[in-house]
Amino acid sequence: SFTDPAVSMDLLRAVLQPSINEEIRGVFNKYMKFFQKAAMNVRDNVGEEVDPEQLIQETCRSCLEQAKLLFSDGKKVVPRLPHEQAAPKRARQMDEELNRRGSPVPKKRKGRPPGQSLLNDRGVSGMAAWKLKVSEPVRRDGPKWDPSRLTETTTFVLGSRANKALGMGGTRGRLYIKHPHLFKYAADPQDKHWLAEQQHMRATGGKMAYLLIEEDIRDLAASDDYR
C-alpha cells in the first residue's frame, strides 16, 4: 500500500530484522573467545579498574561500524535515508511486534557452528544480557576532525606505519583504540590499489587500511608518552 520505495524497503527490513539480528549474534559468538581473551589480558596488564565486558561491547560495536563500509558508496559516513530521520509509525510498530514474537522467516536447523557454546564459558556470565546496538554512529568530532586542517599540502601516513613508529607494531589497530580522537581516513579499494602501485603498502586484500595526518603522529611521537 506504500508507493515510497524507501518506506517499502524499510517495512521489509522490519520483517527480516529479528532473523538478521540472530544470525549476526551467531557470527559474533564465533569470534567471542578472541575478544574475551584479549579483554581479560588488558585487565591483567592495566588493572582491576578495566571492565572487560565494556571493552568487548565497544569492540563489537566497532566491528559493526566497520562492516558498514561494505555497503558504503565511497563516502566516509554511510548516509541515512530521509525516511529514517522520522520512521513511519507502522514500521516502528512492526519492529516492536516482530521483536516480541520473533521473525516469521523459517529458521534453518543446522549443526551448531564453532564457538556457539562460548557464552556458557567461564567469565562471560555478564554477556547474557548483551545486545547489538547497530544504530550508534561513530564519533567524528573534536579539533582533529576540523575540515580546515586538510589542504593540498597536508601529508599523511599509513596507520600501520604510524602504529610501528610509536612502538605498537605488534598489536594491529592499537593506535586507533588508544587514540580514538585522531583523524583517520579509511582507504577504499581504489585508494589501496594506488597505494600498492606506488609501493607505499602491500596489497592487503580485504584488510582495512587507514591514512592519518602526519602532523598528528609527529605530535604524539614528541609527547612524554612516546618520547
PDB file of all heavy atoms in Angstrom, residues 26 31 74 85 95 99 106 128 222:
ATOM      1  N   GLY A  26      25.127 -14.852  16.046  1.00  0.00           N
ATOM      2  CA  GLY A  26      25.867 -16.099  15.855  1.00  0.00           C
ATOM      3  C   GLY A  26      27.277 -15.854  15.346  1.00  0.00           C
ATOM      4  O   GLY A  26      28.233 -16.531  15.748  1.00  0.00           O
ATOM      5  N   TYR A  31      33.463 -15.458  17.229  1.00  0.00           N
ATOM      6  CA  TYR A  31      34.727 -14.760  17.481  1.00  0.00           C
ATOM      7  C   TYR A  31      34.844 -14.260  18.919  1.00  0.00           C
ATOM      8  O   TYR A  31      35.831 -13.630  19.273  1.00  0.00           O
ATOM      9  CB  TYR A  31      34.857 -13.566  16.523  1.00  0.00           C
ATOM     10  CG  TYR A  31      34.966 -13.984  15.079  1.00  0.00           C
ATOM     11  CD1 TYR A  31      33.848 -13.977  14.248  1.00  0.00           C
ATOM     12  CD2 TYR A  31      36.179 -14.409  14.541  1.00  0.00           C
ATOM     13  CE1 TYR A  31      33.936 -14.379  12.923  1.00  0.00           C
ATOM     14  CE2 TYR A  31      36.275 -14.805  13.222  1.00  0.00           C
ATOM     15  CZ  TYR A  31      35.153 -14.779  12.411  1.00  0.00           C
ATOM     16  OH  TYR A  31      35.252 -15.179  11.105  1.00  0.00           O
ATOM     17  N   GLY A  74      31.293   4.975  -1.025  1.00  0.00           N
ATOM     18  CA  GLY A  74      32.600   5.603  -1.167  1.00  0.00           C
ATOM     19  C   GLY A  74      32.823   6.746  -0.209  1.00  0.00           C
ATOM     20  O   GLY A  74      33.938   7.220  -0.048  1.00  0.00           O
ATOM     21  N   GLN A  85      15.004   9.563   9.279  1.00  0.00           N
ATOM     22  CA  GLN A  85      15.010  10.640  10.248  1.00  0.00           C
ATOM     23  C   GLN A  85      13.701  10.651  11.041  1.00  0.00           C
ATOM     24  O   GLN A  85      13.665  11.087  12.179  1.00  0.00           O
ATOM     25  CB  GLN A  85      15.206  11.984   9.521  1.00  0.00           C
ATOM     26  CG  GLN A  85      16.451  12.040   8.663  1.00  0.00           C
ATOM     27  CD  GLN A  85      17.710  11.824   9.461  1.00  0.00           C
ATOM     28  OE1 GLN A  85      17.782  12.172  10.628  1.00  0.00           O
ATOM     29  NE2 GLN A  85      18.716  11.230   8.838  1.00  0.00           N
ATOM     30  N   ASP A  95       8.453  -3.254  13.929  1.00  0.00           N
ATOM     31  CA  ASP A  95       9.717  -3.608  14.569  1.00  0.00           C
ATOM     32  C   ASP A  95       9.487  -4.144  15.976  1.00  0.00           C
ATOM     33  O   ASP A  95      10.014  -5.177  16.370  1.00  0.00           O
ATOM     34  CB  ASP A  95      10.632  -2.380  14.646  1.00  0.00           C
ATOM     35  CG  ASP A  95      11.600  -2.329  13.470  1.00  0.00           C
ATOM     36  OD1 ASP A  95      11.901  -3.408  12.920  1.00  0.00           O
ATOM     37  OD2 ASP A  95      12.027  -1.229  13.108  1.00  0.00           O
ATOM     38  N   ASN A  99       9.975  -8.059  17.153  1.00  0.00           N
ATOM     39  CA  ASN A  99      10.998  -8.331  18.149  1.00  0.00           C
ATOM     40  C   ASN A  99      10.432  -9.095  19.333  1.00  0.00           C
ATOM     41  O   ASN A  99      11.135  -9.855  19.991  1.00  0.00           O
ATOM     42  CB  ASN A  99      11.630  -7.023  18.636  1.00  0.00           C
ATOM     43  CG  ASN A  99      12.624  -6.462  17.639  1.00  0.00           C
ATOM     44  OD1 ASN A  99      13.241  -7.218  16.900  1.00  0.00           O
ATOM     45  ND2 ASN A  99      12.769  -5.141  17.615  1.00  0.00           N
ATOM     46  N   PRO A 106      11.329 -18.778   8.353  1.00  0.00           N
ATOM     47  CA  PRO A 106      11.698 -20.079   8.894  1.00  0.00           C
ATOM     48  C   PRO A 106      13.187 -20.135   9.182  1.00  0.00           C
ATOM     49  O   PRO A 106      14.007 -19.647   8.415  1.00  0.00           O
ATOM     50  CB  PRO A 106      11.313 -21.058   7.764  1.00  0.00           C
ATOM     51  CG  PRO A 106      10.310 -20.307   6.950  1.00  0.00           C
ATOM     52  CD  PRO A 106      10.697 -18.875   7.037  1.00  0.00           C
ATOM     53  N   ALA A 128      25.172 -12.371  29.116  1.00  0.00           N
ATOM     54  CA  ALA A 128      23.860 -12.945  28.817  1.00  0.00           C
ATOM     55  C   ALA A 128      22.884 -11.882  28.348  1.00  0.00           C
ATOM     56  O   ALA A 128      22.007 -12.152  27.528  1.00  0.00           O
ATOM     57  CB  ALA A 128      23.311 -13.652  30.057  1.00  0.00           C
ATOM     58  N   ALA A 222      56.438  13.103  19.832  1.00  0.00           N
ATOM     59  CA  ALA A 222      57.192  14.056  20.642  1.00  0.00           C
ATOM     60  C   ALA A 222      56.623  14.205  22.055  1.00  0.00           C
ATOM     61  O   ALA A 222      57.215  14.898  22.886  1.00  0.00           O
ATOM     62  CB  ALA A 222      57.203  15.423  19.948  1.00  0.00           C
TER      63      ALA A 222
END
